[in-house]
Amino acid sequence: MFSDTAAKKGVTFPKGFKAAGVKAGIKKSGNLDVAVIYSEEEAAVAGVFTQNAVAAAPVYVSKAAVEDGKARAIVANAGCANACTGEQGMKDAKHTAEIAAKALGCAADDVLVASTGVIGVNLPMDKLEQGVKDAVASLSTEGSVDAGNAIITTDTYSKACSTEVEIGGRKVRFGAIAKGSGMIQPNMATMLSFITTDAAIDSKLLQEALSEITEVTFNMISVDGDMSTNDMVTVLANGAAGNAKITEKNADYKIFYRTLKEICTGLSERIAADGEGATKFLTVHVTGAESFDAAKQVAMSVAKSPLVKTAFFGEDPNWGRVICAVGYAGVPMTPEKTVVKFGGIPVYANGTGASCDADALRKVMGQHDIVIDVEMGLGSAEATVWTCDFSYEYVKINGEYHT
Amino acid sequence: MFSDTAAKKGVTFPKGFKAAGVKAGIKKSGNLDVAVIYSEEEAAVAGVFTQNAVAAAPVYVSKAAVEDGKARAIVANAGCANACTGEQGMKDAKHTAEIAAKALGCAADDVLVASTGVIGVNLPMDKLEQGVKDAVASLSTEGSVDAGNAIITTDTYSKACSTEVEIGGRKVRFGAIAKGSGMIQPNMATMLSFITTDAAIDSKLLQEALSEITEVTFNMISVDGDMSTNDMVTVLANGAAGNAKITEKNADYKIFYRTLKEICTGLSERIAADGEGATKFLTVHVTGAESFDAAKQVAMSVAKSPLVKTAFFGEDPNWGRVICAVGYAGVPMTPEKTVVKFGGIPVYANGTGASCDADALRKVMGQHDIVIDVEMGLGSAEATVWTCDFSYEYVKINGEYHT
């Protein structure tokens, strides 16, 4: 579902969806910066939003729009986050939905809005209004790539995918575009993921599925430990596939759920791998924990440690920093029972360093994708967190004076 | 107490203390690496140790030595942490105390041991034994500077101080040496602080004072959020000043407490300012919080944010990253009530950016020492956390292949 061809189809792969991305002059670079995703028919909608107490205006507007379980469109812009913008920010976010609704011929409360970019600056509403109108005018079933490129910021590439499954004898399609990079962390910092499907599903069930899946996918990414003011994940399901509407947790629901989880997992991995300045993609897999929460806490402690992240940047098999981060995670652990592996090779066991094949270990550390296993030996719960290394480039990107 | 002259006196400023630092060949650099601090008379002792579940062998040995409330000496080495070294590590740590005890003519359980350096490597006991003997042989009242230099690792300088106060009509002296740098965080990561005083004080009261003071000083430092396996803070109080022994929380105790707190505060500030690769010293001061714990959580959230730390490295007055870190600290906050100031200049208020004198703000951001004030407007509790910025140099120091 993440092949180049599948990614190209993106959010317009499911029936009845159009998208567009246009240049409105909001990004300083002059690149694409306004996206619209549109469902020709009313769609069931679900959303998960940032838990930051300082949530941006578009988060409030979209939360309200999702409440009745139905929606038609999403308008997103990059270059300005419309966060910490007070009453004017709320007015602007609402007005953006109204502009799009008018152009699309739908109700304003059926339009979700999303923004990403600089905090504390008001939206340039003239530019945005023109951008929304241009995007609506150019909506097409080929518009997913432009829409994907319009929402990225410091991402090195736009994340997208699409896939088809059979549900109740019908072909059901799914698609997605997403952005991530800096500040990515549990609770989805500066992360936008828009998923579309032509499945017919009850909106409450859709929300339940998305909320559950977010816990073990988007909320398990850590790039730098910061959580942004603007994050959201949404799913629009317009029923155009004609499957019998999923209203209970039957076999159809299971296929739907599994497919949505695969999409969210794939997007999460790609978002983590494309963290600012990343040179390594790290999967921290904790097993044998007493509970999922304990496993997650240990995995996050390892994934967030700057010392671990710089060690992997330097291709240094420094298990001491990993076991140290396990030790201060704040959950019970027994050094003698704990095993740490890099790329499947045990590097720490029985309370001390494990003797291992230095050549094989060097090869592991030289790879781009590295799995760090932490076996706690205390129970049967597990958790996986995705992160990246910390490089000079990270400091450069975030140390530059932007304002 | 932190003047060059006072720092030079260090741990040997109080009566009845001697110290030495020697080269034992444990540090690859060949620099001083074994320190001994010795009290001619039995001293009351207190200690606070790492809370990392993976504590190093010397932590266990010193914890046991502190239990009876009395001690005579501290042996510390840099270059090898004796952490994650299993049973051999415990034997080596105990044996180190025995070697020192024999040379000094005291009981082994009156000797504290401390190590800092590489994790997962056994102590080179031959070198260490010779080093301890050499250090004991060269103990002097002029030895504090050498002892201080023997315990540093990636620190750019040894932290030390000394001061004199009057308690009950007697001159009472205090001195200290400390090391910090990488991994410095609450619960005192890779941090060693050895404090001496000739005050006479009950050991239980001394422990109570040190534990309390550590909560608001050493545990309020954050350099990179990691907590080490080897941290400890100790105080030796040998009573040589001849003051009436402090056995209750009277006026004498208050002077003692205030002085100890000043020392711990000054050492904490210097340790944070000398974080690996630091170019800025940042004081995060949270006021108006509902509780100390809430204030600390907010201050730590700001101080640990890599986005905040890289912004200050770039001298970017990016209040958006600060308010964002306040927002995800996990404690109640009201954006409209919160005020953020950089160097006393309001940059965020009423839910949005505050208009301010750009020249004055630029001047603040260009300084080495910067105070970040966060006023929560919710209560009367406050907390101060010290940290430093995140630079290219941090990545370089920690990304180099050390093993």
Side-chain angles (χ1 to χ4, degrees):
Chain A
M1 61 179 71
F2 284 89
S3 72
D4 286 351
T5 317
K8 209 170 163 186
K9 292 173 182 165
V11 287
T12 56
F13 184 57
K15 279 187 204 164
F17 283 98
K18 290 180 174 174
V22 299
K23 296 176 184 180
I26 303 171
K27 279 183 187 168
K28 282 184 187 168
S29 62
N31 289 338
L32 297 167
D33 49 17
V34 172
V36 172
I37 301 168
Y38 174 66
S39 172
E40 289 167 343
E41 302 296 328
E42 186 178 280
V45 66
V48 178
F49 302 92
T50 184
Q51 288 165 35
N52 195 309
V54 186
V59 169
Y60 288 103
V61 172
S62 292
K63 265 188 182 172
V66 162
E67 237 164 49
D68 66 359
K70 58 190 184 60
R72 288 288 293 276
I74 299 166
V75 179
N77 76 278
C80 173
N82 191 16
C84 303
T85 44
E87 282 179 32
Q88 187 61 44
M90 281 302 294
K91 276 183 201 164
D92 291 345
K94 283 178 191 161
H95 190 47
T96 304
E98 287 160 5
I99 294 164
K102 199 176 165 192
L104 292 165
C106 68
D109 74 350
D110 283 340
V111 179
L112 279 62
V113 292
S115 297
T116 176
V118 182
I119 292 179
V121 177
N122 285 111
L123 283 171
M125 287 304 291
D126 289 353
K127 290 178 182 176
L128 184 57
E129 177 159 8
Q130 192 56 51
V132 172
K133 286 176 181 169
D134 291 348
V136 169
S138 56
L139 281 170
S140 86
T141 55
E142 310 292 315
S144 185
V145 173
D146 282 352
N149 285 322
I151 61 170
I152 63 175
T153 53
T154 53
D155 306 66
T156 64
Y157 70 97
S158 168
K159 291 88 188 159
C161 67
S162 65
T163 191
E164 189 176 80
V165 294
E166 201 176 289
I167 296 182
R170 292 281 186 157
K171 299 277 184 204
V172 172
R173 295 170 162 193
F174 291 77
I177 56 173
K179 72 146 313 246
S181 221
M183 287 172 75
I184 289 302
Q185 198 246 8
N187 313 312
M188 308 181 309
T190 314
M191 196 275 287
L192 302 177
S193 287
F194 304 129
I195 301 164
T196 58
T197 175
D198 50 23
I201 182 167
D202 173 72
S203 64
K204 285 208 176 67
L205 219 48
L206 181 64
Q207 182 65 54
E208 192 182 329
L210 181 64
S211 296
E212 273 182 31
I213 290 169
T214 298
E215 283 301 316
V216 292
T217 57
F218 296 112
N219 282 355
M220 299 299 270
I221 309 170
S222 175
V223 168
D224 58 17
D226 281 33
M227 188 200 315
S228 123
T229 51
N230 288 59
D231 312 319
M232 61 175 83
V233 178
T234 65
V235 184
L236 289 175
N238 68 4
N243 63 303
K245 190 171 181 178
I246 304 169
T247 56
E248 56 183 48
K249 293 180 181 175
N250 54 16
D252 290 355
Y253 177 78
K254 279 176 190 156
I255 301 171
F256 181 92
Y257 189 96
R258 192 176 59 223
T259 310
L260 187 60
K261 191 173 171 184
E262 281 171 15
I263 289 170
C264 294
T265 303
L267 292 174
S268 298
E269 289 174 345
R270 278 156 186 80
I271 287 167
D274 194 29
E276 284 169 350
T279 74
K280 301 280 183 193
F281 170 54
L282 308 175
T283 301
V284 185
H285 186 213
V286 176
T287 56
E290 288 178 331
S291 67
F292 170 76
D293 287 346
K296 179 178 175 180
Q297 218 168 311
V298 170
M300 277 290 173
S301 182
V302 172
K304 287 162 83 166
S305 158
L307 282 172
V308 169
K309 289 155 85 80
T310 47
F312 278 86
F313 171 62
E315 304 193 350
D316 172 5
N318 195 323
W319 55 263
R321 294 183 182 176
V322 173
I323 195 70
C324 182
V326 174
Y328 66 70
V331 301
M333 68 87 69
T334 310
E336 291 69 30
K337 288 185 180 173
T338 308
V339 176
V340 177
K341 295 176 182 172
F342 294 165
I345 300 173
V347 289
Y348 173 91
N350 302 313
T352 186
S355 60
C356 63
D357 181 339
D359 285 339
L361 189 57
R362 199 172 303 122
K363 207 171 160 187
V364 163
M365 297 305 293
Q367 287 165 357
H368 179 269
D369 296 4
I370 305 174
V371 177
I372 302 168
D373 281 297
V374 180
E375 300 168 6
M376 306 288 287
L378 300 173
S380 59
E382 59 182 288
T384 302
V385 164
W386 302 282
T387 191
C388 58
D389 62 341
F390 245 169
S391 68
Y392 297 120
E393 200 59 23
Y394 175 83
V395 177
K396 182 163 190 284
I397 291 168
N398 289 298
E400 272 169 9
Y401 196 135
H402 291 295
T403 58
Chain B
M1 59 178 71
F2 284 89
S3 72
D4 285 351
T5 317
K8 210 171 162 185
K9 292 173 182 165
V11 288
T12 55
F13 184 57
K15 279 188 202 163
F17 284 98
K18 290 180 174 173
V22 299
K23 297 176 184 180
I26 303 172
K27 280 183 185 167
K28 282 184 186 167
S29 62
N31 289 337
L32 297 168
D33 50 16
V34 172
V36 171
I37 301 169
Y38 173 66
S39 172
E40 289 167 344
E41 303 296 328
E42 186 177 281
V45 66
V48 178
F49 301 91
T50 185
Q51 289 165 34
N52 195 309
V54 187
V59 169
Y60 288 102
V61 172
S62 292
K63 266 188 181 174
V66 162
E67 237 164 47
D68 66 359
K70 58 191 184 58
R72 288 288 293 276
I74 299 167
V75 179
N77 76 277
C80 174
N82 191 14
C84 303
T85 44
E87 282 179 31
Q88 188 61 45
M90 282 301 294
K91 276 184 202 163
D92 290 346
K94 283 178 191 163
H95 189 48
T96 305
E98 287 160 5
I99 293 164
K102 198 176 168 193
L104 292 164
C106 67
D109 74 350
D110 282 341
V111 179
L112 279 61
V113 292
S115 297
T116 177
V118 182
I119 292 179
V121 178
N122 285 111
L123 283 172
M125 286 306 292
D126 287 354
K127 291 178 181 177
L128 184 58
E129 177 159 8
Q130 192 57 50
V132 171
K133 287 176 181 169
D134 291 349
V136 169
S138 56
L139 281 170
S140 85
T141 55
E142 310 291 317
S144 185
V145 171
D146 282 352
N149 285 324
I151 62 170
I152 64 176
T153 52
T154 54
D155 306 65
T156 63
Y157 68 99
S158 168
K159 291 87 188 160
C161 67
S162 66
T163 191
E164 189 177 82
V165 294
E166 202 176 289
I167 295 182
R170 291 282 185 158
K171 299 278 183 205
V172 172
R173 293 170 164 195
F174 291 77
I177 57 173
K179 72 145 315 247
S181 220
M183 288 173 74
I184 289 304
Q185 199 245 8
N187 312 311
M188 309 178 309
T190 314
M191 196 275 287
L192 302 176
S193 287
F194 304 129
I195 302 164
T196 57
T197 175
D198 50 22
I201 182 168
D202 173 71
S203 65
K204 285 209 178 65
L205 219 48
L206 180 64
Q207 182 64 53
E208 191 181 330
L210 181 64
S211 296
E212 273 182 28
I213 290 169
T214 298
E215 283 300 315
V216 292
T217 56
F218 295 113
N219 281 354
M220 299 300 269
I221 309 170
S222 175
V223 167
D224 57 17
D226 282 31
M227 187 200 317
S228 123
T229 50
N230 289 58
D231 312 319
M232 64 175 81
V233 178
T234 65
V235 184
L236 290 175
N238 68 3
N243 63 304
K245 190 171 180 177
I246 303 169
T247 57
E248 56 182 48
K249 293 182 181 175
N250 55 14
D252 289 355
Y253 177 77
K254 279 178 191 154
I255 300 172
F256 182 91
Y257 190 95
R258 192 175 60 223
T259 309
L260 186 60
K261 191 173 171 184
E262 280 170 15
I263 289 170
C264 294
T265 303
L267 291 174
S268 298
E269 289 173 346
R270 277 156 186 80
I271 287 167
D274 194 28
E276 284 170 350
T279 74
K280 302 279 183 193
F281 170 55
L282 308 175
T283 300
V284 185
H285 186 213
V286 175
T287 56
E290 287 178 330
S291 67
F292 170 75
D293 287 346
K296 179 179 175 180
Q297 218 167 311
V298 169
M300 277 291 172
S301 183
V302 172
K304 288 163 82 167
S305 160
L307 283 171
V308 169
K309 291 157 83 84
T310 47
F312 277 87
F313 171 61
E315 304 194 349
D316 173 5
N318 196 323
W319 55 263
R321 295 183 182 176
V322 173
I323 196 71
C324 183
V326 173
Y328 66 71
V331 302
M333 67 88 67
T334 310
E336 292 67 30
K337 287 185 179 174
T338 308
V339 176
V340 177
K341 295 176 182 173
F342 293 165
I345 300 173
V347 288
Y348 173 89
N350 302 313
T352 186
S355 59
C356 64
D357 182 338
D359 284 340
L361 189 56
R362 198 171 306 120
K363 206 171 161 186
V364 164
M365 296 304 293
Q367 287 165 356
H368 180 268
D369 294 5
I370 304 175
V371 177
I372 301 169
D373 281 297
V374 179
E375 300 169 5
M376 305 289 287
L378 299 174
S380 59
E382 60 182 290
T384 302
V385 164
W386 303 282
T387 190
C388 58
D389 62 343
F390 244 169
S391 68
Y392 296 120
E393 200 60 19
Y394 175 83
V395 178
K396 182 161 188 289
I397 291 168
N398 289 298
E400 272 168 11
Y401 196 135
H402 292 294
T403 60

